[in-house]
């Protein structure tokens, strides 16, 4: 195996600049004449906007909806039956529907001065009753976010595959589960710099996005410009997690503003805007029932789920995506015959939620795994034993589940067994027999899930995305000095593509990865792409790099064969050379012959050259199915309710790993976020829809001390359908932790008859559950 | 999140700072490390017309020692205290408390006096200095005065400084060699506002047995004679503690439970060996 090809844990090429503080983010750009923007945002969750009063002295520096003539609102209405269309104005008109909705745009030479102007703008608002809870929003008589709908439901998905009568089954368990609305918090927030480029005759947007081409398309729709009128540059991006996979209002506003004022303008999101107005995610509610036989065999699942989608539908993901995933993916990895689910995307007076790493799957995994734990409890079996009894066996792969999800490959039971072994579940059971010396309670929990990634055309078209990915393209070219340049439309925002794509090209061309440059993030230089989200880049982008590299190798081989004076059938490309038996010629010499010394080549040589663009789509694009088991050991202090994670194991099969070190980073980073989802993160709102966290003092993220040393084991079962057997695996780390940790916490608290299924598991929630359980079991002693 | 405009001066002496305060007529704020004031300025929750930087005043960064006390200038950073840059024995609790305040980056800039003046109920220095029996040395245009720490804190974010006064230093009595200190806070992570907090100082040579409950909604609860919280056999009287907490307005039973846990742990640490 090549030391820097597929499978090698080479250090990331991009880290040299990141670790030295030389990355270049939107906030690092300076342009002559650049001015800064601050927004006047709605201070209330629901109101009629009657008037915006702009002090006379600031008249030229403040812009409202009245100024945005000819600008279309953001509409993200997938062609789904019954989907309710919302039109999100760039600046509010008529009504404001959440705290933080943009009302006016203020421009000044510094951000502080722009905020001074924003402070001086007065709003005349007629407050309306707000609806801030997704369940209340579905009751009749609820305030309406969009009056014209008549209710608050964006869309409802339902699945119904039910053949058996399960009314008399041995085990029936019912659970209510709530996940918190939380925030995304990439290290870099959003930022937009917009200016008119006179030389290229376009509007240029430098923006912190995961998908420059989709921003280009979205802007063209909102601004009425052609794609050629718009250039989008996505420079270094400090994390996205889905937050930067949408067209944001600010991008449209700044684009318009740059054309209007004629000088560069920039907006950098601050922490309060990020938390309260922009980056919310994950808020679900489940009422779920599981039916099983006495021996723990799952027979059926019934569920009604609600998603608090907030006030508008984001482009292009739409407000439907989480509810669609719930209905589609709730069966998870398990084999059973009867399934009924209704999943509703509900509008509330809160900011739109956006798909965050794993999208709906962390909630889905929690819901189905809570059922599996409850079945285990009823059947008197270990939780992992119940899971093993309901899994797909390796000889059944590939396997279509009851909704037709096509699990491509793998050995699920082996993965779970390894995790149970690694976490030492048996030893924990022994340890639980004795009291802990510090008075805490110990529990072990496990979760198992499949991670459908790299979804292709068919899947995403059925989910109703307005921009559906097809063939991913890559341009691979040999430069005149025999180095390689790769142009891709995907955009690394932490994934390390500058390294991994180079590894893929190296695998085929044998050129040293230091001589392979990956170029991304500028619509002038990249093939059109739906870019990086949904764990798709390595499968589709990597596949495209492989295809283009192979074609390039063929072209180089033809030239090389001629230079070596041999037949094309006798040569192959390896180690950066065209080789024919004992003789060879370097790709550098091939390139120099083609670009600089063409007189040495015959006239009839292939005229296509050494610059190839090729497209790739997985042979079967219903998605790759990475799977993983997460296992946690926790200690809970029953006096304070504080949870500590003592040990954490992930066993994951992500198919062929291009760079296992980067995969470990993906898993550990995702797991840290999942720990946040489970134990810490919540974006609270009061009954009037006021967001109650505005800084990192009141919004809690796990820090380094709260994240344990995550022990990762890999299995590598290739996907039969993709280049090299690569699978998508960017999100699973964030999917598994809530279910595993909730399971461990409830395992620890079971002797106290306590179960907590509302996230996050705060000390207050745990203590309240302990107190409630104590009151239930000893009502007569309550006053003792 | 950028501050509204303000003027900025660097005071060269305490008298200088006091004069600036007076001239601004109540619209100025002193700033030292800025770790609490900074975010409030950025959120525009604080809008002073003038910021008076007092970190250049030499005497505010001095530390001196007497036979029975240490005097720490108000602008000494928490990091310096954490790192043990204080002379003498008998002040070990200070370094221990300092080491667990927020993050090192905050401790590098945050000062003991700034944190104490800010009087956030969940701040470690508020609880710890009250329990240590510290005294606040105050300077103003009408001369100097001192106040016990627990009187200096008047409530949440409220201190006893008169408009033109400056907290110059904090005087902390020396613990005897047999003195025992206990300190516990309940929080999930560094930097979080504590949910409960307790400190116990048991120094029988000096006839001190003091307990303080912090992270309340107001000023910390001082129990000057901690024996009232113990039964005859010296075990903790949990119902007495519960009543004490309730009488100080801590009505949430979960908070009381956490406070009780914090207090029990602080007591256990401070138990004479």
């Amino acid at each position: 195996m090549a030391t820097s090809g597929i499978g090698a844990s080479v250090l990331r090429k991009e880290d040299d600049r990141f670790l030295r503080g030389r990355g270049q983010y939107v906030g690092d750009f300076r342009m002559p004449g650049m001015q800064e923007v601050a927004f006047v945002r709605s201070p209330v969750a629901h109101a009629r906007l009657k008037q915006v009063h702009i002090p006379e002295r600031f008249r030229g520096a403040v812009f409202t909806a009245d100024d945005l003539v000819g600008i279309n609102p953001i509409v993200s209405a997938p062609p789904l039956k019954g989907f309710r269309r919302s039109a999100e104005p760039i600046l509010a008109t008529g009504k404001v529907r959440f705290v933080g909705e943009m009302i006016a745009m203020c421009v000044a030479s510094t951000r502080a001065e722009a905020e001074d102007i924003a402070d001086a703008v007065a709003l005349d608002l007629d407050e309306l009753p707000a609806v801030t809870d997704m369940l209340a929003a579905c009751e009749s008589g609820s305030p309406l976010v969009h009056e014209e709908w008549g209710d608050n439901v964006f869309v409802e998905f339902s699945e119904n595959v039910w053949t058996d009568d399960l009314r008399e089954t041995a085990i029936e368990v019912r659970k209510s589960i709530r996940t918190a609305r939380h925030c995304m918090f990439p290290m870099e927030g959003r930022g937009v710099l917009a200016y008119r480029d006179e030389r290229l005759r376009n509007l240029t947007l430098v923006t912190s996005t995961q998908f420059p081409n989709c921003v280009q398309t979205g802007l063209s729709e909102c601004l009425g410009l052609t794609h050629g009128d718009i250039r989008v540059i996505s420079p270094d991006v400090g994390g996205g997690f889905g937050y930067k996979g949408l067209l944001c209002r600010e991008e449209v506003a700044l684009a318009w503003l740059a054309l209007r004022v004629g000088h560069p303008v920039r907006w950098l999101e601050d922490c309060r805007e990020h938390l309260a107005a922009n980056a919310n995610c994950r808020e679900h509610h489940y009422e779920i029932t599981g039916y099983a036989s006495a021996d723990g065999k799952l027979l059926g699942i019934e569920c009604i789920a609600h998603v608090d989608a907030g006030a508008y539908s984001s482009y292009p993901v739409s407000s439907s995506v989480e509810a669609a995933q719930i209905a589609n993916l709730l069966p998870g990895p398990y084999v059973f015959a009867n399934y009924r689910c209704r999943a509703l995307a509900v509008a509330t007076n809160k900011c739109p939620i956006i798909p965050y790493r794993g999208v709906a799957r962390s909630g889905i995994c929690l819901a189905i795994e809570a059922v599996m734990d409850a079945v285990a409890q009823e059947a008197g079996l270990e939780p992992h034993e119940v899971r093993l009894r309901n899994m797909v066996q390796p000889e059944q792969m590939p396997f279509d589940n009851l909704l037709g999800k096509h699990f491509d490959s793998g050995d699920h039971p082996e993965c779970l067994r390894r995790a149970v072994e690694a976490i030492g579940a048996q030893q924990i059971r022994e340890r639980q027999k004795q009291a802990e010396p510090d008075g805490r309670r110990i529990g072990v929990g496990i979760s198992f899930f499949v991670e459908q990634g790299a979804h292709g055309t068919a899947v995403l078209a059925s989910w109703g995305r307005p921009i559906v990915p097809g063939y991913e393209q890559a341009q691979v070219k040999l430069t005149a000095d025999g180095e390689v340049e790769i142009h891709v439309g995907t955009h690394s925002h932490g994934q390390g593509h500058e390294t991994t794509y180079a590894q893929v090209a190296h695998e085929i061309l044998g050129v040293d990865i230091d001589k392979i440059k990956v170029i991304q993030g500028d619509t002038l230089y990249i093939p059109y792409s739906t870019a990086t989200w949904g764990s798709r880049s390595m499968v589709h982008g990597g596949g495209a790099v492989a295809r283009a590299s192979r074609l390039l190798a063929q072209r180089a081989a033809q030239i090389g064969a001629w230079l070596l004076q041999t037949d094309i059938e006798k040569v192959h490309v390896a180690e950066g050379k065209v080789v024919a038996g004992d003789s060879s010629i370097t790709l550098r010499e091939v390139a120099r012959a083609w670009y600089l010394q063409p007189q040495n080549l015959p006239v009839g040589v292939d005229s296509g050259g050494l610059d190839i663009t090729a497209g790739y789509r997985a042979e079967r694009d219903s998605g790759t199915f990475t799977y993983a088991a997460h296992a946690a050991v926790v200690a809970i202090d029953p006096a304070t309710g504080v949870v500590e994670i003592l040990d954490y194991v992930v066993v994951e099969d992500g198919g062929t790993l291009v760079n296992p070190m980067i995969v470990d980073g993906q898993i550990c980073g995702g797991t840290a976020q999942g720990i946040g989802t489970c134990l810490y993160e919540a974006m609270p709102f009061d009954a009037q829809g006021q967001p109650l966290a505005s800084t990192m003092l009141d919004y809690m993220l796990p820090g380094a001390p709260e994240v344990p040393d995550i022990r990762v084991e890999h299995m590598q079962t290739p996907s039969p359908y993709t280049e090299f057997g690569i699978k998508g695996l960017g999100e699973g780390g964030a999917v598994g932790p809530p279910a595993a940790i909730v399971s461990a916490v409830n395992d620890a608290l079971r002797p106290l008859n306590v179960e907590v299924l509302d996230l996050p598991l705060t000390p207050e929630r745990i203590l309240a559950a302990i107190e409630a359980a104590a009151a239930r079991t000893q009502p007569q002693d309550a006053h003792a | 999140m950028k501050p509204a405009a303000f003027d900025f001066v660097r005071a060269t002496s305490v008298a200088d700072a006091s004069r600036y305060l007076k001239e601004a007529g109540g619209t100025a704020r002193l700033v030292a490390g800025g770790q609490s004031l900074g975010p409030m300025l950025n959120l525009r929750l604080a809008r002073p017309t003038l910021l008076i930087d007092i970190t250049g005043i030499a005497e505010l960064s001095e530390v001196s020692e007497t036979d029975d006390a240490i005097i720490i200038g108000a602008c000494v950073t928490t990091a310096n205290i954490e790192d043990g840059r204080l002379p003498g024995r008998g002040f070990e609790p200070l370094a221990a408390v300092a080491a667990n305040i927020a993050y090192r980056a905050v401790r590098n800039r945050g000062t003991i006096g700034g944190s104490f003046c800010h009087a956030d109920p969940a701040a470690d220095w508020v609880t710890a200095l009250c329990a240590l029996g510290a005294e606040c040395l105050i300077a103003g245009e009408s001369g100097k005065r001192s106040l016990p720490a627990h009187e200096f804190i008047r409530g949440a974010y409220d201190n006893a400084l008169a408009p033109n006064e400056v907290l110059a230093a904090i005087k902390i009595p020396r613990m005897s060699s047999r003195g025992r200190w206990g300190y516990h806070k309940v929080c999930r992570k560094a930097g979080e506002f504590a949910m409960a907090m307790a400190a116990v100082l048991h120094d029988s040579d000096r006839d001190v047995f003091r307990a303080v409950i912090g992270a309340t909604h107001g000023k910390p609860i001082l129990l000057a004679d901690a024996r009232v919280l113990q039964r005859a056999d010296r075990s903790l009287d949990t119902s007495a503690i519960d009543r004490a907490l309730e009488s100080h307005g801590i009505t949430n039973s979960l908070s009381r439970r956490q406070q009780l846990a914090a207090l029990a742990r602080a007591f256990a640490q401070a138990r004479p060996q």
Side-chain angles (χ1 to χ4, degrees):
Chain A
M1 188 190 74
T3 53
S4 53
I6 288 174
S9 286
V10 295
L11 295 180
R12 302 197 328 166
K13 293 167 59 153
E14 46 271 78
D15 282 346
D16 185 70
R17 72 174 183 279
F18 292 152
L19 296 177
R20 292 177 203 279
R22 292 178 189 152
Q24 199 181 18
Y25 302 88
V26 177
D28 296 314
F29 282 73
R30 296 281 183 281
M31 296 195 72
M34 183 175 84
Q35 297 218 330
E36 302 280 350
V37 169
F39 289 98
V40 176
R41 292 175 182 272
S42 175
V44 296
H46 200 191
R48 301 216 178 277
L49 175 60
K50 293 165 69 185
Q51 221 182 335
V52 181
H53 302 281
I54 303 164
E56 202 47 50
R57 67 188 190 281
F58 294 136
R59 230 161 235 296
V62 180
F63 301 90
T64 67
D66 291 343
D67 299 300
L68 266 57
V69 178
I71 301 303
N72 299 315
I74 295 176
V75 176
S76 182
L80 296 165
K81 190 163 163 283
F83 186 89
R84 253 68 164 273
R85 184 176 179 279
S86 68
E88 181 176 14
I90 306 307
L91 296 173
T93 49
K95 224 168 99 153
V96 287
R97 295 182 174 85
F98 65 92
V99 173
E101 188 163 357
M102 287 154 46
I103 294 173
M105 181 161 43
C106 308
V107 195
S109 55
T110 66
R111 173 67 181 248
E113 289 165 285
E115 288 187 22
D116 289 346
I117 297 171
D119 264 359
V121 173
L123 303 174
D124 193 353
L125 295 159
D126 252 1
E127 252 194 280
L128 297 166
V131 55
T132 58
D133 177 82
M134 58 188 146
L135 301 182
C138 293
E139 285 166 12
S140 63
S142 163
L144 297 176
V145 181
H146 300 278
E147 281 94 350
E148 63 278 17
W149 296 0
D151 63 28
N152 286 316
V153 179
F154 273 107
V155 66
E156 175 178 334
F157 292 87
S158 76
E159 294 287 350
N160 191 352
V161 186
W162 202 276
T163 50
D164 303 322
D165 182 353
L166 301 182
R167 280 171 297 184
E168 301 296 323
T169 50
I171 294 174
E172 180 180 332
V173 293
R174 189 178 295 253
K175 298 290 169 197
S176 276
I177 296 159
R178 208 182 247 272
T179 61
R181 178 173 271 251
H182 76 71
C183 282
M184 301 195 178
F185 260 118
M187 286 178 74
E188 181 207 20
R190 294 207 66 140
V192 186
L193 161 64
Y195 58 92
R196 210 197 308 235
D197 187 320
E198 299 296 346
R199 179 178 64 89
L200 294 171
R201 288 180 290 123
N202 65 29
L203 164 72
T204 298
L205 232 74
V206 182
T207 180
S208 184
T209 185
Q210 296 171 214
F211 60 0
N213 288 116
C214 296
V215 171
Q216 189 186 25
T217 299
L219 283 177
S220 75
E221 287 179 14
C222 288
L223 300 174
L225 299 174
T226 67
H227 281 65
D229 293 332
I230 302 164
R231 174 188 186 187
V232 176
I233 297 171
S234 185
D236 283 330
V237 174
F241 313 117
Y243 179 44
K244 297 171 184 176
L246 67 145
L247 175 71
C248 65
R249 306 173 286 275
E250 292 88 348
E251 283 166 334
V252 184
L254 273 277
W256 173 86
L257 184 63
L259 294 176
R260 164 74 175 253
V261 297
H263 57 71
V265 287
R266 185 171 70 172
W267 164 77
L268 297 177
E269 181 183 65
D270 67 29
C271 189
R272 183 164 45 177
E273 288 176 306
H274 183 82
L275 272 167
N278 279 354
N280 289 13
C281 60
R282 287 265 197 273
E283 189 173 10
H284 300 178
H285 179 268
Y286 300 84
E287 290 288 343
I288 186 167
T289 306
Y291 302 89
S293 59
D295 61 354
K297 190 86 185 76
L298 192 62
L299 301 172
I301 292 283
E302 264 182 307
C303 181
I304 297 180
H306 292 79
V307 174
D308 185 331
Y312 296 104
S313 176
S314 295
Y315 180 96
V317 289
S318 98
S319 55
S320 68
V321 60
E322 306 230 359
Q325 280 203 349
I326 292 172
N328 255 260
L329 301 178
L330 184 62
Y334 301 116
V335 182
F336 58 96
N338 300 287
Y339 177 62
R340 258 201 291 262
C341 180
R342 288 174 59 209
L344 293 83
V346 181
T348 60
N349 290 115
K350 295 190 278 192
C351 75
I353 71 166
I354 299 161
Y356 174 62
R357 199 174 198 172
V359 196
R361 286 169 288 197
S362 64
I364 291 169
C365 178
L366 173 63
I368 188 86
E369 292 295 79
V371 167
M372 299 309 276
D373 277 358
V375 169
Q377 197 56 29
E378 294 292 316
L381 294 168
E382 277 291 340
H384 65 262
E385 183 54 39
V386 164
R387 287 166 174 81
L388 286 171
R389 288 181 188 190
N390 291 290
M391 275 182 174
V392 180
Q393 297 305 307
E395 59 275 13
Q396 294 174 285
M397 292 289 185
F399 178 86
D400 289 328
N401 84 352
L402 87 170
L403 296 179
K405 295 280 158 200
H406 185 76
F407 300 175
D408 51 353
S409 65
D411 186 341
H412 293 184
E414 173 64 13
C415 176
L416 182 61
R417 279 192 291 264
R418 282 200 200 180
V420 170
E421 175 68 26
I423 201 74
Q426 194 52 48
Q427 293 89 312
I428 299 297
R429 289 284 173 256
E430 289 302 315
R431 184 172 163 184
Q432 284 174 322
K433 290 175 185 164
Q434 276 103 46
E436 292 290 316
D438 61 5
R440 295 195 295 179
R441 290 181 174 274
I442 304 293
V444 61
I446 205 147
S447 66
F448 187 82
F449 59 92
V450 290
E451 177 188 358
Q452 185 182 18
H455 318 68
T457 309
V459 178
L460 290 155
S462 76
W463 286 1
R465 280 180 80 101
I467 302 179
V468 177
Y471 281 87
E472 186 67 32
Q473 292 183 308
Q475 179 192 5
V476 179
K477 87 175 175 198
L478 207 55
T479 68
D481 345 83
E483 301 195 343
V484 174
E485 240 178 58
I486 299 173
H487 297 242
V488 286
T490 56
H491 193 62
S492 180
H493 45 285
Q495 292 84 350
H497 293 161
E498 288 172 48
T499 307
T500 48
Y501 286 155
Q503 288 182 262
V504 170
H506 172 87
E507 185 75 22
I508 292 161
L509 299 169
V511 173
D512 187 339
I513 61 166
D514 291 336
K515 299 196 183 310
I516 301 176
K517 186 182 271 182
V518 175
I519 290 156
Q520 55 176 1
D522 186 333
T523 56
L524 269 193
Y525 304 125
I526 59 175
Y528 191 96
S529 170
T530 60
T532 297
W533 48 272
S535 300
R536 63 182 304 279
S537 295
M538 214 52 234
V539 170
H540 297 289
V545 169
R547 290 286 156 96
S549 298
R550 280 202 200 94
L551 288 170
L552 179 62
Q554 283 173 19
R555 293 267 177 83
Q558 281 183 358
I559 296 169
W562 203 90
L563 293 171
L564 291 167
Q565 294 295 299
T566 186
D567 296 334
I568 179 74
E569 294 78 29
K570 293 185 180 152
V571 301
H572 68 280
V573 172
E575 293 174 15
K577 295 173 192 149
V578 178
V579 182
D582 291 340
S583 56
S584 67
I585 184 167
T586 63
L587 290 178
R588 178 182 157 85
E589 289 169 280
V590 168
R592 292 187 76 83
W594 170 262
Y595 290 107
L596 308 176
Q597 302 288 314
Q599 66 275 25
N600 295 337
L601 296 175
V603 172
V605 74
D606 186 339
S607 61
L610 297 171
D611 185 346
I612 307 281
T613 298
Y616 171 77
R617 185 167 157 180
E619 193 181 307
R620 179 183 169 126
D621 70 354
S622 52
T624 57
F625 279 77
T626 290
Y627 54 94
H630 284 220
V633 177
V634 301
I636 297 146
D637 186 337
T640 64
V642 173
V643 178
E644 184 190 358
I645 300 172
L646 301 179
D647 193 12
Y648 203 97
V649 166
V650 177
V651 181
E652 180 166 289
D653 186 344
T656 302
L657 304 182
V658 175
N659 185 321
M661 178 198 73
I662 289 179
V663 172
D664 285 349
Q666 287 274 21
I667 293 172
C668 292
T671 300
Q673 289 173 311
I675 289 170
T677 303
C678 189
L679 294 179
Y680 302 108
E681 296 185 53
M683 183 61 218
F685 288 80
D686 71 10
Q688 285 71 48
Q690 280 296 333
L692 299 177
S694 58
T695 71
M696 292 180 78
L697 269 179
D698 23 49
Y699 184 85
M700 203 156 35
L701 288 166
E706 289 73 50
V707 178
D709 183 11
I710 297 156
R711 298 190 286 135
V712 181
E713 280 187 35
H714 298 291
M715 295 164 61
Q716 293 198 49
T717 313
S719 170
Y721 306 124
T722 65
E723 278 284 359
F724 305 106
I726 295 168
K727 294 187 179 188
L729 47 65
E731 299 164 88
V735 171
I741 297 166
V742 164
S743 173
V745 166
N746 288 325
D747 182 58
L749 297 177
R750 191 158 292 122
L752 303 178
N753 291 311
V754 168
E755 185 177 58
V756 191
L757 293 170
D758 285 354
L759 301 186
L761 301 181
T762 58
E764 292 80 359
R765 281 209 171 112
I766 289 172
L767 281 185
I770 290 173
E771 285 199 351
R776 274 199 309 275
T777 51
Q778 298 172 308
Q780 65 275 41
D781 296 344
H783 302 288
Chain B
M1 288 211 296
K2 301 289 179 202
F6 53 80
D7 287 325
F8 181 86
V9 290
R10 300 203 74 177
T12 54
S13 67
V14 173
D16 199 26
S18 180
R19 183 174 53 79
Y20 281 127
L21 282 170
K22 188 177 178 185
E23 284 170 7
T27 63
R29 292 288 297 262
L30 300 180
V31 62
Q35 297 304 290
S36 301
L37 184 57
M40 290 170 65
L41 290 171
N42 283 344
L43 288 165
R44 300 192 172 200
L45 295 173
R47 294 183 177 222
T49 58
L50 174 68
L51 274 194
I52 305 163
D53 181 351
I54 56 170
T55 54
I57 302 173
E59 68 177 279
L60 298 189
S61 295
E62 284 170 4
V63 175
S64 61
E65 200 183 359
T66 65
D67 283 349
D68 57 1
I70 191 168
I71 297 165
I72 302 176
C75 289
V76 171
T77 65
T78 295
N80 271 329
I81 297 170
E82 174 187 12
D83 295 345
R85 294 186 188 162
L86 304 176
R89 296 172 64 96
F91 307 108
E92 293 79 3
L94 292 168
V97 168
N100 287 303
I101 293 175
Y103 297 96
R104 180 72 193 197
V106 172
R107 302 195 291 271
N108 280 339
R109 299 190 71 90
T111 63
I112 186 169
S115 172
F116 202 66
C117 287
H118 186 58
D120 181 334
D124 294 80
W125 286 132
V126 169
T127 294
L129 292 176
C130 289
L132 287 164
E135 217 172 312
C136 298
L137 308 184
I138 299 165
E141 51 182 346
S142 53
K144 295 183 176 182
R145 65 176 179 130
S146 72
L147 267 183
H150 190 254
E151 289 174 32
F152 183 87
I153 304 290
R154 293 207 306 196
Y157 307 103
D158 187 14
N159 66 44
L161 288 177
N164 306 333
E165 284 184 326
V166 177
L167 174 64
I170 294 165
K171 181 177 177 183
I172 297 150
R174 188 190 298 271
M175 229 164 53
S176 78
S177 58
R178 287 196 296 166
R180 300 279 297 169
W181 168 253
Y183 188 79
H184 189 87
K185 60 177 168 177
V186 178
C187 57
R188 288 176 287 174
K189 59 169 284 187
E192 182 189 14
F193 289 114
M195 295 170 270
M197 181 181 273
V200 174
L201 179 64
H202 196 169
D203 194 351
S204 38
D205 287 3
R206 293 194 295 126
D207 200 22
V208 170
F209 189 14
R210 191 185 293 122
V212 172
I213 296 163
T216 65
H217 299 299
K219 68 187 280 179
I221 302 168
L222 171 69
L223 298 146
D225 182 358
R227 281 172 302 194
V228 300
L229 303 178
Q230 292 184 324
R231 297 196 187 91
D233 64 356
R234 292 198 175 177
S235 65
L236 274 187
D237 185 345
T238 52
S239 49
I241 295 169
D242 213 40
R243 280 195 305 274
L245 290 167
E246 202 163 5
S247 73
H248 281 89
I250 303 177
T251 51
N252 180 319
S253 69
L254 304 179
S255 291
R256 288 208 303 274
R257 200 178 164 116
Q258 290 175 322
Q259 291 288 10
L260 181 62
L263 195 59
R265 285 161 204 192
F267 259 94
Q269 290 167 26
R271 187 153 290 145
Q273 289 179 326

